[in-house]
Amino acid sequence: MKIVNILESTRPIQSNIRNAYIDFSKMTLSLVAVVTDVIRDGRPVIGYGFNSNGRYGQGALMRERFIPRVLEADPASLRDETGDNLDPHGIWACMMSNEKPGGHGERSVAVGTIDMAVWDAVAKIEGKPLFQLLAERYGNGQANPRVFVYAAGGYYHPGKGLDGLRQEMEGYLARGYSVVKMKIGGAPLAEDCARIEAVLKMLAPGQQLAVDANGRFDLPTALDYGRALSQYPLFWYEEAGDPLDYELQARLGEAYAGPLATGENLFSMQDARNLIRHGGMRPDRDWLQFDCALSYGLVEYLRTLDMLKDHGWSPSRCIPHGGHQMSLAIAAGLGLGGNESYPDLFQPYGGFPDGVKVDNGHVHLPPLPGIGFEGKADLIAEMHTLAR
Ligand SMILES: O=C([O-])CC(=O)C(=O)O
Ligand SMILES: [Mg+2]
């Protein structure tokens, strides 16, 4: 068996929201299809992938380097030891041939997006859900398809105001989420505190709020916010400072007792390891948000999970950024703490298979072959425009 083609296309996911750092008025992503010559139910098996919001489409890199390397390789070097399926690790090594170490953000999104499509194809060829395949190959053999999810939103939005924020959060809570997240750092501290208090007042026992500064603060501002936020029972305080400022993260962790979260903008095992080595993150309460779709894919994420284990961290402290089904599958297969979701944003890419309901902050993944994209009608329709 072999890969016969890899297609990519840049697709819009723009909206008029804003976080503390960027607006999403021109946001795009790359959609990828890995077409194989394996036939199932009379059709070729095609794996699909896409990158998470926040980093734009990656077509140029894919077309110039990563796709030709795979298509020009000896197909035998990309198969697993059975010869009947692809080897994601071999394909990853092929994509990364003639690439120097370091500088990960330059290519980690392009590689991670193709890697997602490869895993989708591998699980479909095996005829099982990716979460089950992962539990069998890398986990304890037993997947847990019930996964914690939280609702991310609470963006700054022209004319939104406190009423708009409350309405948005009410919608998430009514849909069964128990944790909701909102942006901070895009308004003065006093205004952000008023926004936070407006949401906290709506929460019932067992429901919690997380806040996300998107890397906006210098150390004094991160600490000022930390002092103000410590009066609230927050689920977490996310990405206070620049993602690569491990010293800031460590100083904040000494001053702020509540849970901190970060990692969505760390794009390799080595960067994640620097956070663990130097960022003062606390394995008993903090959260790690590395997103495989931005950071070289699941092949690299497996290395990151190994690194975490070596440093005494449980995979249950990981709740990835991005709100895609790939991380849901990893969470169910390998025991992550849950996954982000954007109930009303970045559609049709985010979310769950049709009919999956959030119940008490959890979803139950249906046993669809692959990552599960075929279970989401609007998403698979978009994917079919690329290849079917
Ligand atoms: O606003 C964004 O860039 C997305 C983000 O930080 C998140 O989902 O945590
Ligand atoms: Mg974030």
Side-chain angles (χ1 to χ4, degrees), residues 175-186:
R175 267 172 274 185
Y177 289 96
S178 57
V179 175
V180 293
K181 185 167 95 179
M182 60 180 275
K183 297 300 174 184
I184 58 169

Side-chain angles (χ1 to χ4, degrees), residues 275-302:
L275 176 70
I276 297 301
R277 282 176 174 165
H278 307 298
M281 299 291 280
R282 302 153 300 181
D284 63 331
R285 77 195 81 163
D286 292 336
W287 299 96
L288 304 171
Q289 301 173 296
F290 318 123
D291 175 354
C292 67
L294 299 177
S295 55
Y296 289 120
L298 174 56
V299 168
E300 181 82 351
Y301 197 80
L302 290 168

Side-chain angles (χ1 to χ4, degrees), residues 3 66 105 108 119-120 149 175 182 193 203 223 241 247 268 270 291-292 298 315 332 345-346 360 382:
I3 293 174
F66 303 112
S108 64
W119 285 99
D120 188 38
V149 289
R175 267 172 274 185
M182 60 180 275
C193 286
L203 301 182
L223 292 171
E247 173 78 10
S268 64
Q270 291 86 351
D291 175 354
C292 67
L298 174 56
L345 296 169
F346 311 127
N360 197 16
E382 181 96 355

